[in-house]
Amino acid sequence: MTAGGASSSSFSSSCSSLTSSIAAIDGTDFSPAMLAMASKTGVYRNLIRGDLTTRIHVVADAVYDVVVCVGTFTIGHVGSHPALREFFCVTRLGGDVAATILEEVWVSGGFQEEVEALAAEGQVAVVFRELIDYVKGHSDKAMLVILKMTTCD
C-alpha cells in the first residue's frame, strides 16, 4: 500500500493499528519536512519524495494493491490532473485507490469530472462515493471516493 500525502497524522495513526495485517506501507510527499514527520511514526517501509502534480517517476508501475490519499486534495494544493490517473499507474490491476477530496474543490477542481471520465473510459469502477466529515467536530466536508482499477491502459 502507498499513501499520497504521507505526513497526514490521522492516516499515520490509523495505519499503525493495521500494520500487522498489511505487508508494507510506503508513503509519498513532496515536502522533506512532511516526510521527516512521517518517518517519526514508524509506520512506513519507504518514504518517497514525489510530486503529485507531475508523472510519478519515483515508483515503478503496478506495484501497489491499494493507494490511499488523505489530506492532499484541498484548496490550492494538488489538483485532479494528473494525480488521480497517476495513482492508477502505480496500482495493480484490480487494485483500489481511496481518496478524500475537500468538498470545495470536488467540482471546481475538476475531481468529479476526472472520476466520471475515468469511469466512462472503463479505467475504473466507482466502488464508493460519499460526502463525509473531513475533520470530526469541524464543519468541513470531503468527498470520499474508492475506485477499483478495471483495466491497464
Side-chain angles (χ1 to χ4, degrees), residues 52-136:
L52 297 179
T53 65
T54 64
R55 174 90 169 92
I56 301 173
H57 294 290
V58 295
V59 176
D61 286 350
V63 295
Y64 296 110
D65 296 315
V66 177
V67 173
V68 177
C69 186
V70 178
T72 302
F73 298 133
T74 63
I75 297 169
H77 203 205
V78 175
S80 61
H81 189 75
L84 287 176
R85 289 181 187 269
E86 286 300 307
F87 287 154
F88 287 100
C89 289
V90 299
T91 304
R92 291 184 177 124
L93 183 61
D96 297 310
V97 171
T100 59
I101 300 139
L102 196 63
E103 180 182 28
E104 288 85 351
V105 298
W106 170 245
V107 174
S108 66
F111 291 94
Q112 179 179 0
E113 182 179 350
E114 186 71 356
V115 167
E116 290 171 356
L118 285 163
E121 294 165 12
Q123 299 289 317
V124 304
V126 178
V127 176
F128 184 86
R129 186 177 96 175
E130 184 175 311
L131 193 63
I132 62 166
D133 288 337
Y134 191 58
V135 178
K136 289 191 186 256

Side-chain angles (χ1 to χ4, degrees), residues 6-43:
S7 64
S8 171
S9 60
S10 60
F11 180 74
S12 296
S13 60
S14 296
C15 284
S16 64
S17 64
L18 298 173
T19 53
S20 63
S21 61
I22 298 174
I25 302 171
D26 294 339
T28 304
D29 205 299
F30 181 72
S31 166
M34 295 293 107
L35 290 171
M37 285 177 57
S39 71
K40 293 176 185 174
T41 67
V43 169

